[in-house]
């Protein structure tokens, strides 16, 4: 396993565990190679969206949240060399210019076209005013150095004026403005992130365009099975962020936290049985449930390891064992309700 063994983890602090799991070493820009090109057909695609990739976005993507600006360009380029063809970005991450440099380097060195990759970004809360949505998409495309997005998500169902800290539920006017951008061709698909069932229904009932995708937190500690199935029945695809749960160093530890997911004893047992790492088990479990997963990493070994989840085969009993983890530990780690002063995720698990 590329991740430390259970014994090693027992002697690491929480920040050290997170650093070991996510990687923190810088990666040199790789030399031109055709290694990544040969792996394009290996990535299963989900049946939504309009993309040069055919049936839709690759089920395994590369996340860019929390990637350090000093290393993000190299990490993005390295992910393309490793075989990833799905990149998840956002204005709020503050690194889209660096992501764009990584995209440009990766495409050029691999002799790939823009249409060979899927790029997602997100509208931030301070640009929900319909008069600002056009500015937001223009800036995003400029920063990323591309002519269009495959998918543009509304990051949260809340908005605030750029010069104020006042946050309120605010999504329908912004969504209607996103619909206009969608019709312009600069965004191939539009979708949502972090919405509740009632908010999703409101969007569908009062709009011409149904969301193509809904991105939210999903992992073995927060499986959200009914919520996922409901959207899939509506024809809305799901993307899971934080597939490694509390391994993300952004999430402040609390007394009631379960063990770090990648050191969970059930995960370790499934990993040992299947010959995979616990990270690969988490990703393979997610993809087996019919949605895309977007792990992030900054170390080349972890980038490659995560991509290896495509080769991780889990038996029915393995999947069942991972399913059952939430019976012992049910935990949502990303919930800024207090900070926004608004109740989010109403009606969902561990809201």
């Amino acid at each position: 396993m590329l991740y430390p063994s259970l014994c090693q983890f027992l002697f690491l602090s929480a920040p050290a565990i997170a650093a070991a799991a996510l990687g923190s070493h810088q990666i040199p820009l790789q030399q031109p190679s055709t290694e990544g090109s040969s792996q394009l057909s290996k990535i299963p695609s989900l049946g939504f969206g309009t993309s040069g990739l055919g049936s839709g976005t690759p089920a395994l993507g590369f996340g860019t949240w929390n990637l350090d600006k000093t290393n993000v360009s190299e990490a993005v380029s390295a992910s393309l060399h490793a075989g990833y063809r799905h990149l998840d970005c956002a204005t709020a991450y503050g690194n889209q210019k660096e992501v764009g440099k990584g995209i440009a380097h990766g495409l050029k060195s691999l002799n790939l076209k823009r249409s060979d990759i899927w790029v997602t970004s997100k509208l931030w809360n301070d640009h929900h005013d319909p008069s600002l949505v056009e500015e937001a998409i223009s800036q995003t495309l400029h920063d990323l150095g591309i002519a269009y997005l495959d998918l543009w998500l509304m990051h949260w169902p809340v908005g605030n004026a750029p010069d104020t800290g006042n946050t309120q539920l605010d999504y329908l006017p912004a969504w209607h403005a996103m619909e206009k951008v969608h019709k312009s061709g600069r965004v191939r698909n539009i979708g949502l992130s972090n919405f509740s069932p009632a908010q999703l229904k409101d969007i569908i009932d009062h709009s011409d365009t149904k969301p193509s995708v809904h991105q939210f937190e999903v992992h073995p500690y927060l499986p959200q099975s009914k919520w996922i199935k409901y959207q899939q029945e509506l024809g809305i695809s799901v993307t899971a962020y934080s597939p490694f749960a509390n391994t993300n160093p952004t999430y402040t530890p609390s007394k009631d936290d379960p063990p770090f997911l990648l050191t969970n004893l059930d995960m370790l047992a499934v990993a040992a049985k299947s010959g995979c790492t616990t990270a690969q088990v988490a990703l393979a479990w997610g993809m087996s449930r019919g949605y895309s997963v977007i792990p992030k990493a900054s170390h080349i070994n972890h980038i490659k390891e995560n991509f290896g989840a495509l080769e991780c085969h889990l038996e029915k009993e393995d999947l069942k064992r991972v399913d059952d983890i939430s019976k012992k530990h049910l935990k949502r780690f990303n919930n800024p309700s207090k900070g926004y002063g608004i109740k989010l995720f109403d009606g969902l698990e561990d809201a």
Side-chain angles (χ1 to χ4, degrees), residues 78-129:
S79 74
L80 293 174
H81 278 263
Y84 293 84
R85 297 295 179 264
H86 171 190
L87 302 174
D88 183 80
C89 319
T91 297
Y93 301 166
N95 59 12
Q96 288 195 134
K97 288 183 179 180
E98 291 76 17
V99 170
K101 291 177 183 177
I103 291 174
H105 180 273
L107 294 183
K108 182 178 181 180
S109 59
L110 288 166
N111 195 28
L112 295 174
K113 302 184 297 294
R114 164 65 183 91
S115 58
D116 290 326
I117 64 172
W118 177 285
V119 181
T120 295
S121 189
K122 306 175 189 74
L123 174 71
W124 186 236
N125 307 345
D126 61 2
H127 276 65
H128 277 210
D129 186 309

Side-chain angles (χ1 to χ4, degrees), residues 3 14 17-18 21-22 65-66 216-223 240-253 257-264 267 278-279 281-283 285 291 293-296 322 325-326 329-334 350:
Y3 286 94
I17 294 174
L22 290 175
W65 183 28
N66 285 336
F216 49 88
E217 181 181 350
V218 187
H219 44 71
Y221 289 145
L222 191 72
Y241 69 70
S242 295
F244 300 147
N246 52 347
T247 304
N248 190 322
T250 297
Y251 301 144
T252 304
D257 276 0
F260 282 95
L261 182 66
L262 301 187
T263 66
N264 178 286
M267 293 290 290
T278 50
V281 168
L283 299 174
W285 172 81
Y291 53 76
V293 291
I294 47 172
K296 58 183 165 290
V322 178
I325 288 175
S326 62
H329 307 285
L330 183 66
K331 178 75 174 182
R332 180 185 298 276
F333 295 99
N334 188 24
D350 197 32

Side-chain angles (χ1 to χ4, degrees), residues 323-343:
D323 286 341
D324 290 344
I325 288 175
S326 62
K327 294 179 180 179
K328 305 174 186 176
H329 307 285
L330 183 66
K331 178 75 174 182
R332 180 185 298 276
F333 295 99
N334 188 24
N335 189 348
S337 293
K338 288 184 178 179
Y340 287 148
I342 297 171
K343 182 172 175 54

Side-chain angles (χ1 to χ4, degrees), residues 15-62:
I17 294 174
L22 290 175
S24 58
H25 298 86
Q26 294 195 358
I27 314 163
L29 283 171
Q30 300 184 14
Q31 296 301 311
S33 163
T34 58
E35 177 185 359
S37 302
S38 65
Q39 294 177 320
L40 180 57
S41 62
K42 293 173 61 178
I43 311 176
S45 291
L46 301 178
F48 73 86
T50 304
S51 166
L53 298 175
S55 62
T57 182
L60 179 61
F62 184 73

Side-chain angles (χ1 to χ4, degrees), residues 188-259:
R188 301 290 177 85
N189 303 276
I190 54 176
L192 307 172
S193 182
N194 300 305
F195 274 56
S196 72
Q199 292 159 356
L200 173 61
K201 185 177 186 302
D202 202 18
I203 288 281
I204 293 173
D205 289 349
H206 298 94
S207 307
D208 295 329
T209 308
K210 181 173 67 176
S212 294
V213 186
H214 191 183
Q215 183 180 129
F216 49 88
E217 181 181 350
V218 187
H219 44 71
Y221 289 145
L222 191 72
Q224 307 214 68
S225 301
K226 291 181 180 179
W227 185 216
I228 292 169
K229 183 179 180 181
Y230 173 75
Q231 290 172 95
Q232 290 172 337
E233 290 174 347
L234 288 175
I236 299 172
S237 292
V238 170
T239 295
Y241 69 70
S242 295
F244 300 147
N246 52 347
T247 304
N248 190 322
T250 297
Y251 301 144
T252 304
S254 63
K255 293 181 179 180
D256 64 340
D257 276 0

Side-chain angles (χ1 to χ4, degrees), residues 3-23:
Y3 286 94
S5 68
L6 175 61
C7 293
Q8 289 174 295
F9 269 99
L10 292 176
F11 295 97
L12 291 176
S13 65
I17 294 174
L22 290 175

